[in-house]
Amino acid sequence: RSSTPVPTTAPIVIIGAGAGGTALANRLVRRLEGAEITLLDPRVAHLYQPGLTLVAAGLKPADYVLSQTGDWLPDGVTLIPEKAAAIDPEAKTVATESGQSLAYDFLVVAPGLVLDHDAIEGFSLDMVGQNGIGALYAGPEYAARTWQAASKFTEEGGVGLFTRPETEMKCAGAPLKHTFLIDDIAKRAGNGGKIDVQYAAPQSSLFGVPIVAEKVRMLFGDRGITSHMQHQLQGIDADRRRARFSTPDGSVELDYDYIHVIPPQRAPEVVRQSGLSWADKWTDQGWVECDMASLRHLRYPEIWALGDVAGVPKGKTAASVKWQVPVVEDGLVAAITGTDPTQTYNGYTSCPMITQIGRAMLVEFDYNDNLVPSFPGIIAPLEELWISWLMKEVALKATYNAMLRGRA
């Protein structure tokens, strides 16, 4: 890649200053000269989302995952601290909540996703931390409250019920990590005999990649964790501590002493209203229609999707973003210079799956469910290793921060 910046006065709008938007902005500022780059995001705090599972297991404080959005942004980018209220792909404009209209030549849609907590009947976020209810995805405060409820379970025992949604979701390994960690913590405290750990999921297998699903199934067997497949959480009765699931055989209720709720996940409303979503796939979820290799929109060539919101078969993890960002950058610069892009995204997704304190499996895979190890010969992908734990515990955040700065 040439070190000379590409001159352009093109207005570029990036919706979302999460991992993807921030990393891309940093790279574009170095790659382009004279571009007008505008980033739209109302959040003051930047969330290091891979850390939420550690907070929810009492291994890190809530502020471990918090930094300031502005601290990661380079000079030469305008941050508008508002949400995108509307996108008009025909007129090539984005409207902000206060009514500003931003014209763009190129648009990158990277607003993340929405947690649809209202879809779970009888549940609301203010319940988290009490009555044996956890929900670590909702943010650092909720992850810390989740640990309050989960730690009580690890001491007092009972039935622990761990769920996952039917929709696509951020880091499909996280529900399993939380299950493994809380089980491990209870057993380390000498309370293994008092707990009954159960995992309920709407899917018919424990993980989307068959070889990984089989490994998890074996670990569940070794550790006495029961799984209920094709169980989709519909609602909870917090007073009676019962959860209601839909199954192929009708409605089923399960009792719990601790329940971990992960709600359905969808694209933000602004994406779904803008006509950018797939018309024939994920229609209930609204992910952006894009080419899975280039992440470029199929109907609007000046638009790219990045991160959680992208309608591709894999890739809602920070590691995926790391591999998607250079592809979007390459596509944008090629569009500006009138050349052909050279980079493609192969669906790379990584999940350091913690299986116990001090042990993790580094699971890396692509669109075709091939395992694609980054450290062949050093880290065996499906073994529970201390080095994989170190990567999650220690090295991952430094790598993530380098990515945000556009350096990874």
Side-chain angles (χ1 to χ4, degrees):
R1 123 201 214 155
S2 73
S3 50
T4 325
V6 173
T8 176
T9 53
I12 299 168
V13 173
I14 302 171
I15 298 175
T22 297
L24 181 65
N26 273 297
R27 293 174 77 109
L28 289 178
V29 161
R30 288 200 286 274
R31 193 76 190 278
L32 302 172
E33 198 178 335
E36 193 189 315
I37 302 170
T38 307
L39 200 53
L40 229 63
D41 199 313
R43 290 168 306 180
V44 178
H46 179 93
L47 278 193
Y48 171 61
Q49 296 184 69
L52 290 171
T53 44
L54 299 174
V55 176
L59 299 171
K60 296 284 183 191
D63 62 8
Y64 173 72
V65 301
L66 289 171
S67 57
Q68 299 297 306
T69 296
D71 291 351
W72 299 106
L73 295 178
D75 294 336
V77 168
T78 306
L79 174 67
I80 299 179
E82 295 183 53
K83 265 185 176 166
I87 304 165
D88 184 338
E90 302 292 342
K92 298 193 199 174
T93 57
V94 175
T96 73
E97 282 191 308
S98 69
Q100 275 189 76
S101 179
L102 307 170
Y104 63 82
D105 283 357
F106 303 103
L107 173 67
V108 179
V109 184
L113 54 69
V114 173
L115 300 168
D116 187 1
H117 289 107
D118 294 341
I120 310 293
E121 208 180 308
F123 172 78
S124 68
L125 281 176
D126 54 16
M127 298 175 164
V128 177
Q130 305 151 32
N131 282 330
I133 295 174
L136 75 81
Y137 270 74
E141 177 200 343
Y142 296 104
R145 287 202 222 160
T146 293
W147 171 238
Q148 286 172 9
S151 65
K152 201 164 183 278
F153 166 73
T154 64
E155 289 156 18
E156 295 174 5
V159 175
L161 192 50
F162 297 80
T163 70
R164 68 150 287 173
E166 193 263 332
T167 58
E168 299 288 312
M169 66 181 291
K170 284 178 189 289
C171 187
L176 296 165
K177 282 179 229 180
H178 189 58
T179 310
F180 281 134
L181 275 170
I182 299 308
D183 175 74
D184 187 45
I185 290 165
K187 285 170 180 167
R188 279 168 194 262
N191 297 327
K194 296 199 290 197
I195 58 167
D196 174 4
V197 176
Q198 304 185 14
Y199 182 82
Q203 292 72 21
S204 50
S205 74
L206 289 165
F207 199 79
V209 180
I211 188 170
V212 181
E214 181 54 23
K215 176 70 183 185
V216 172
R217 194 186 67 77
M218 288 163 61
L219 288 173
F220 272 13
D222 292 345
R223 292 170 63 165
I225 298 173
T226 314
S227 49
H228 305 280
M229 303 320 295
Q230 297 184 291
H231 277 56
Q232 184 180 348
L233 182 65
Q234 298 289 345
I236 60 172
D237 181 337
D239 295 334
R240 291 164 60 224
R241 296 205 183 193
R242 299 199 86 170
R244 194 177 77 259
F245 295 85
S246 61
T247 77
D249 303 321
S251 188
V252 168
E253 290 197 348
L254 297 174
D255 292 309
Y256 64 82
D257 295 283
Y258 170 70
I259 186 170
H260 187 248
V261 174
I262 303 178
Q265 301 177 21
R266 312 188 194 288
E269 204 53 46
V270 63
V271 171
R272 302 165 75 180
Q273 286 169 354
S274 63
L276 295 179
S277 304
W278 282 100
D280 56 349
K281 285 194 264 200
W282 299 300
T283 48
D284 59 323
Q285 296 160 61
W287 312 118
V288 175
E289 177 190 338
C290 61
D291 177 83
M292 65 194 239
S294 69
L295 303 170
R296 198 171 190 170
H297 202 282
L298 294 181
R299 288 172 288 125
Y300 300 104
E302 57 288 320
I303 298 178
W304 284 261
L306 177 59
D308 289 346
V309 82
V312 295
K314 298 262 193 291
K316 297 195 194 307
T317 69
S320 317
V321 166
K322 182 185 166 196
W323 293 90
Q324 289 174 358
V325 166
V327 173
V328 174
E329 174 197 6
D330 178 65
L332 256 166
V333 173
I336 288 169
T337 55
T339 54
D340 289 329
T342 56
Q343 300 209 25
T344 55
Y345 173 61
N346 68 354
Y348 178 89
T349 304
S350 158
C351 167
M353 193 179 303
I354 297 170
T355 53
Q356 49 184 298
I357 292 177
R359 288 279 182 269
M361 301 187 295
L362 187 60
V363 178
E364 303 169 281
F365 51 91
D366 64 14
Y367 280 141
N368 299 319
D369 291 338
N370 297 318
L371 294 185
V372 283
S374 297
F375 308 96
I378 302 169
I379 299 184
L382 295 182
E383 283 185 36
E384 299 178 81
L385 301 170
W386 177 73
I387 189 166
S388 304
W389 159 265
L390 266 191
M391 288 186 67
K392 167 75 180 179
E393 241 292 332
V394 183
L396 189 63
K397 197 174 184 189
T399 310
Y400 178 92
N401 291 349
M403 173 187 82
L404 281 188
R405 295 243 181 258
R407 299 283 182 198

